[in-house]
Amino acid sequence: MAGATEAAGWRLGQTTENTLERNDLNVVTESSARTDRELPVVAVVGGVGSGKSSLARFVAQRFPAEIIDADLLGHQVLQREDVKRQIRERFDSEIFDAAGEIQRSALAKIVFGEDSRPLQDLEAIVHPRIREAIRQRIEAAGKESNARAILLDAAVLLESGWTDICDKIVFVDCAIDVRRQRVLARGWDAEQLHQREAKQLPVDEKRRRANFVINNDSDLQSAGNRLLQIVGEIADQFAKAGSTGSASVDHLPSDTSESVAFHD
């Protein structure tokens, strides 16, 4: 599926200052589904290999934030019997192993080819179920955990039309050469990177539609601290708004702190 979980563990060097941007466009729309939320939901998106999952883990290790990994939920959805039945009806049964489980590598070869219809058909089967699983996790986190915010790690959030289930979007920016090195380290090749990126929105469009942009070309700690600052201040503002009985995405501006270096 598009948007595999970002691999952690690459060695990172230094980064430049002032790598955090705030986009002019407060573009998160369709807010009707976001009112009365228990916790703010901050979506983290980026190109393949940008390190968004590593950054989400960095923050969750230092701040009471619950990570919802949409790719992991996608794996779980593929194990459901009703989903396997629909996929078997749509795709060749050879993508199943001897135990009756879907071989994701075989499925990927089909859906990431030149024909866009197989991926569209797969998404029609799994995306509604992933969305519902995300919604349930958000609801449960608000009631059952001690988290102050939710980090939604969802590579195809924008493509899937899931912006209504998050409050703010952070785009993790990263040069293509760096991202290529990272996916090679996880066992992919350049063609696999190209195939997956071709099925997603261009990174420039993702950047444009985000509320915040963080550069993660080199230094994980520097980028992680910037995401930590964003999430912490959104959580503070959300809690403050909630104390007045008016917690809502509409009360959360994109420029969360004057102390952060922004540029338009």
Side-chain angles (χ1 to χ4, degrees), residues 4-24:
T5 303
E6 307 289 355
W10 49 77
R11 299 186 64 83
L12 301 169
Q14 299 298 314
T15 189
T16 58
E17 295 297 324
N18 301 334
T19 55
L20 175 63
E21 298 181 19
R22 177 191 60 80
N23 278 356
D24 285 339

Side-chain angles (χ1 to χ4, degrees), residues 229 233 237 255-262:
Q229 181 177 15
E233 294 188 6
Q237 292 171 7
D255 49 338
T256 58
S257 172
E258 295 179 357
S259 65
V260 180
F262 298 119

